[in-house]
Amino acid sequence: MEDFKVLQAKIAQYEKENKELKLRLDELNDFVENAALPLHWVNAEGIIIWANQAEFISLGYTKEEYVGFPISNFHADQEVIQDILYRLTNNQTLLNYPARLLCKNGDIKHVLINSSVLWRDDKFIHTRCFTRDITPLIKEQERKAQLIDDLEQNETKLKIAIESTSLGTWEWNPKNNSLFWSNECKHVFGYPVAEQITFDAFSDLIHPEDKSRVIKAMYDSVEPASDETHNLTYRIHRFDDQGLRWIKVQWKKSYKTDRYASLLIGTTLDITDVKHAEEKSAKLAAIIDSSNDAVISKTLNGIITSWNDSAERTFGYTAAEIIGQPILKLIPPDLLQEEVQILSRLSKGERVNHFETRRITKTGQLIDVSLTISPVKDRDGKIIGLSKIARDITEKKQAEQRKNDFVAMVSHELKTPLTALTGYLQLLLIRSKKGGDEFSVKSLIRAEAQTKKMVSLIHDFLSLARMEEGKLQIERREVELHPLMVEIAEDAKFLTSQHTIKLIDCEEIIINADRDKIGQVLMNLVSNAIKYSPEGGLITLGCEKQDGKVKIYVSDQGIGISPADQKRLFERFYRVNNNGIKTVPGFGIGLYLVSEILRYHGSEIVVESEEKVGSVFYFYLRTLN
Ligand code: ADP
């Protein structure tokens, strides 16, 4: 009985203890279920058999979507979960094993997994895993890595930029007076790259006249009040060759500890070339301003971009009035076409020299100008604009006019008595021939030839004066070439006894030309052939008929002309500078007239010549038969 009572008491005790144990287990279950730490259990097949609320919340799945599914479905890296399962089934404990889990919304969660296995009777029951979310930590790490990456990239970019501009960099600590120079900075100062620079060594390199200004500016900028970027341009004498250079520095304070700058950080650039270019362009600008010629520049579209004082005096517009305006304002309406032609020549890179034309002033007055126009090119040779130098030649033109009037008048006055003289000479000649006075006949023939020479010279002067005035008239008619050539040949025979004059193949050719003027051309060529063949020889006047035109030539066996002189022969007043022919009289206008008269006939004079062998001058005219 006693035993029964004891047993009953023990049972009651067990029941009480069992109840308490159950209560604690429930509490534990509740605690585990609602723990803040995500927990899950996985069986030997890798299937999730249980997970707590925190796990669902953390990954976003419901119990139905999560429990009963393979744990590998929720891992981003399959090798990782396979390794975890392998380790656990081999009874290893995992401590802070990093993994990436897939959330329901597609996010990836970085976690650290801690796990152990529940074994019972040597049998794998299930794993017990809890995970710690370290996503914010990883994100922060990634952000930092990106920042460092960006910083490194920016630094590289800055380095490349600095190197490509030959920009030197420097740092100066005013407290301990230590100075640092980049290699490029040392290059600027010609300082050895391997050597450390000191502030004293640096100040010794500054030009004596700039030194105190530079040092003061640097010390002043250390003061708390100054916070801007400082700029300074000064001269230095390079360390290696003492060469004078202009440099430009820029710097800013860098605060590290207190309100006083602990560091000045700056750049250095060698601007000697820029300075020289500035000086050069200032000199040029001064020259342009003081020039007596109007110097104007304009864009390719004809908009005026610069205008000097002389342009103002010549055209009456001030720079303020005309810059930005079209150049057409200065061109008389009837000459607008001229501008188009000039532009086309310039666009080929040609320069237009001393081109005489007219322009219009602000008051509407027409002035004569001589223009020199050149293309303005950039560094790559591309034409970016035009510069015009205009000289007012109104006065010169008027003087020329007076001279031409004078020459025309004098020539005319001379011609009248000469015509009378020729008439009397011819009368006397007839008489002498009749009287059989040999000496008089010869003398009179000579006198007549000389008079003709004089007439033709005066003729040339008159033509020149008329031509310059633009008054030379060409009166074309049907002209039989042969009689004209015979006339010239006959006249030529009077001029010389030393030369043989021959005429070939000019019969039956009719040309459309001004007979007198073509006669003047031929007479000039023939008298040159005589003048410049001092040894005598054969002079040929000839024609070669070709389809629709005739080549007319005059050849001689004289001194010939060098290739260099051949190019300039037809310029006004050009005479060959040759000792052998210094005594030959002439004014250098004959060939100029020849080329101009032929130009009026739509033709051109050509020369072929060899020194000491002879010359041939020829031109083509259209034939009418
Ligand atoms: P000018 O004979 O009055 O000097 P031109 O204009 O007729 O002037 O000729 C220009 C120059 O060309 C001459 O000074 C001469 O040197 C050269 N010249 C012209 N014709 C000949 C020629 N047939 N042979 C050699 N030189 C010539």
Side-chain angles (χ1 to χ4, degrees):
M1 193 60 195
E2 183 61 17
D3 282 351
F4 179 70
K5 267 191 179 164
V6 170
L7 209 65
Q8 255 187 341
K10 267 185 185 167
I11 287 171
Q13 180 65 24
Y14 279 143
E15 270 177 356
K16 195 180 163 206
E17 278 177 8
N18 200 14
K19 225 176 176 178
E20 264 172 29
L21 222 67
K22 244 181 158 182
L23 214 74
R24 255 184 236 140
L25 203 68
D26 280 352
E27 266 174 17
L28 201 70
N29 262 339
D30 194 50
F31 170 75
V32 169
E33 191 71 41
N34 296 307
L37 219 59
L39 291 167
H40 65 261
W41 295 353
V42 171
N43 68 12
E45 282 72 46
I47 305 292
I48 304 163
I49 54 166
W50 174 85
N52 73 349
Q53 263 331 106
E55 178 100 355
F56 299 139
I57 291 167
S58 138
L59 297 179
Y61 300 100
T62 60
K63 190 177 174 186
E64 290 68 34
E65 290 166 336
Y66 197 64
V67 175
F69 292 95
I71 183 72
S72 57
N73 284 7
F74 304 97
H75 272 256
D77 309 299
Q78 287 310 305
E79 356 29 296
V80 171
I81 181 60
Q82 293 316 323
D83 184 53
I84 292 175
L85 289 174
Y86 172 81
R87 283 169 190 260
L88 291 174
T89 45
N90 285 292
N91 201 13
Q92 283 183 27
T93 301
L94 299 183
L95 219 67
N96 290 337
Y97 191 106
R100 297 188 314 144
L101 302 183
L102 297 170
C103 299
K104 191 177 172 186
N105 64 4
D107 283 355
I108 285 188
K109 238 180 199 147
H110 294 264
V111 294
L112 292 178
I113 295 177
N114 290 285
S115 192
S116 58
V117 179
L118 179 68
W119 293 85
R120 203 171 285 152
D121 304 330
D122 274 348
K123 233 178 116 202
F124 182 103
I125 303 298
H126 60 72
T127 67
R128 290 178 299 203
C129 306
F130 68 87
T131 56
R132 201 146 60 86
D133 186 358
I134 53 161
T135 311
L137 214 76
I138 296 282
K139 286 258 161 75
E140 182 60 20
Q141 261 174 12
E142 281 175 358
R143 206 178 59 83
K144 274 187 188 152
Q146 184 62 42
L147 259 168
I148 290 170
D149 213 42
D150 286 354
L151 252 155
E152 275 173 1
Q153 269 189 28
N154 282 345
E155 205 177 301
T156 316
K157 278 185 205 159
L158 196 70
K159 230 173 157 180
I160 293 171
I162 286 174
E163 274 165 16
S164 69
T165 54
S166 314
L167 203 65
T169 52
W170 53 267
E171 286 176 21
W172 174 55
N173 184 334
K175 279 185 187 154
N176 61 14
N177 212 13
S178 68
L179 183 64
F180 163 80
W181 274 358
S182 71
N183 285 352
E184 196 49 57
C185 196
K186 288 181 181 169
H187 289 318
V188 171
F189 281 83
Y191 203 75
V193 171
E195 261 181 55
Q196 188 75 33
I197 184 71
T198 64
F199 193 82
D200 288 344
F202 151 65
S203 58
D204 281 349
L205 297 177
I206 305 174
H207 190 283
E209 286 170 21
D210 296 337
K211 196 173 187 159
S212 55
R213 177 169 65 93
V214 176
I215 306 284
K216 183 174 180 310
M218 287 177 79
Y219 273 105
D220 283 354
S221 67
V222 176
E223 294 300 315
S226 116
D227 196 25
E228 74 271 29
T229 303
H230 300 267
N231 276 297
L232 213 59
T233 300
Y234 58 90
R235 290 161 295 173
I236 59 157
H237 283 292
R238 278 169 61 93
F239 180 83
D240 52 1
D241 57 8
Q242 278 75 54
L244 181 80
R245 312 293 294 174
W246 278 96
I247 64 164
K248 183 184 165 92
V249 291
Q250 256 193 358
W251 74 87
K252 231 183 137 69
K253 274 193 294 192
S254 159
Y255 299 92
K256 278 199 178 142
T257 47
D258 50 35
R259 290 196 319 122
Y260 288 84
S262 51
L263 213 55
L264 297 190
I265 298 177
T267 57
T268 304
L269 188 65
D270 186 330
I271 56 156
T272 313
D273 291 346
V274 179
K275 270 274 173 193
H276 287 168
E278 269 174 18
E279 280 166 15
K280 203 170 148 193
S281 70
K283 271 185 207 155
L284 278 175
I287 292 170
I288 288 172
D289 278 345
S290 60
S291 165
N292 278 330
D293 294 333
V295 182
I296 304 162
S297 63
K298 58 173 192 170
T299 64
L300 285 177
N301 300 333
I303 301 297
I304 297 172
T305 48
S306 78
W307 187 258
N308 72 345
D309 291 351
S310 190
E312 184 173 335
R313 280 194 297 275
T314 310
F315 296 101
Y317 295 99
T318 63
E321 278 172 331
I322 199 84
I323 288 178
Q325 297 287 322
I327 192 88
L328 295 182
K329 268 195 145 169
L330 308 177
I331 303 176
D334 57 323
L335 294 178
L336 286 178
Q337 192 52 30
E338 189 184 279
E339 184 72 3
V340 180
Q341 283 161 5
I342 292 176
L343 278 178
S344 97
R345 278 178 66 184
L346 288 163
S347 63
K348 290 178 207 143
E350 284 176 35
R351 185 184 148 109
V352 176
N353 261 337
H354 306 303
F355 168 73
E356 291 192 0
T357 182
R358 285 190 317 279
R359 289 292 177 258
I360 198 160
T361 67
K362 188 179 175 184
T363 55
Q365 189 197 339
L366 276 178
I367 53 168
D368 288 295
V369 290
S370 160
L371 292 183
T372 295
I373 311 171
S374 341
V376 178
K377 297 177 185 171
D378 67 8
R379 276 184 183 200
D380 305 324
K382 204 176 115 213
I383 302 173
I384 49 167
L386 303 171
S387 86
K388 273 193 181 188
I389 301 177
R391 178 169 295 177
D392 184 349
I393 52 164
T394 312
E395 268 179 36
K396 184 180 145 222
K397 277 269 168 188
Q398 284 166 354
E400 258 174 30
Q401 180 65 42
R402 284 194 291 273
K403 183 199 78 192
N404 281 338
D405 290 348
F406 176 74
V407 171
M409 189 194 73
V410 170
S411 307
H412 199 78
E413 291 299 310
L414 286 173
K415 240 173 84 182
T416 325
L418 268 180
T419 318
L421 189 64
T422 317
Y424 286 122
L425 282 174
Q426 279 166 356
L427 276 178
L428 275 175
L429 193 60
I430 296 167
R431 268 207 182 176
S432 303
K433 275 181 185 166
K434 272 188 191 158
D437 183 351
E438 269 301 297
F439 175 76
S440 295
V441 170
K442 267 193 180 166
S443 307
L444 286 168
I445 288 176
R446 286 248 172 99
E448 198 190 356
Q450 290 304 319
T451 322
K452 278 198 170 161
K453 213 170 159 182
M454 213 162 157
V455 170
S456 98
L457 249 177
I458 291 168
H459 207 171
D460 279 357
F461 273 116
L462 258 175
S463 301
L464 183 71
R466 290 214 183 101
M467 200 157 13
E468 294 206 332
E469 281 177 53
K471 284 187 190 157
L472 188 82
Q473 299 274 330
I474 296 291
E475 286 164 27
R476 289 184 191 232
R477 274 194 214 108
E478 276 190 22
V479 178
E480 258 190 85
L481 193 55
H482 190 251
L484 176 63
M485 298 295 276
V486 172
E487 231 172 79
I488 302 293
E490 288 306 309
D491 278 354
K493 280 177 198 162
F494 279 118
L495 295 176
T496 175
S497 51
Q498 266 180 299
H499 304 81
T500 311
I501 312 280
K502 200 174 149 195
L503 174 67
I504 43 172
D505 290 341
C506 294
E507 294 84 6
E508 289 171 15
I509 300 170
I510 299 174
I511 53 170
N512 181 27
D514 185 319
R515 193 178 194 279
D516 283 353
K517 299 284 183 306
I518 294 297
Q520 200 179 348
V521 165
L522 290 165
M523 201 56 219
N524 262 308
L525 294 178
V526 173
S527 60
N528 275 350
I530 296 169
K531 276 200 296 189
Y532 301 108
S533 308
E535 315 267 284
L538 180 68
I539 291 170
T540 313
L541 277 92
C543 303
E544 272 172 31
K545 226 178 153 186
Q546 299 172 356
D547 43 5
K549 53 187 182 177
V550 57
K551 173 179 175 180
I552 303 168
Y553 62 88
V554 176
S555 72
D556 64 55
Q557 296 172 323
I559 56 169
I561 307 150
S562 72
D565 286 320
Q566 284 177 34
K567 284 191 198 133
R568 305 197 50 196
L569 228 45
F570 306 104
E571 289 173 18
R572 202 168 52 151
F573 303 124
Y574 186 78
R575 303 203 72 211
V576 173
N577 194 5
N578 179 335
N579 279 336
I581 56 164
K582 277 244 163 84
T583 48
V584 179
F587 298 101
I589 58 166
L591 287 182
Y592 170 69
L593 282 175
V594 164
S595 74
E596 284 299 292
I597 292 171
L598 289 176
R599 195 167 63 81
Y600 278 79
H601 279 85
S603 180
E604 188 187 16
I605 180 80
V606 185
V607 59
E608 281 169 15
S609 181
E610 197 178 327
E611 282 179 284
K612 300 197 178 100
V613 176
S615 313
V616 49
F617 287 82
Y618 63 87
F619 57 93
Y620 291 90
L621 285 177
R622 246 179 305 127
T623 54
L624 292 175
N625 56 341

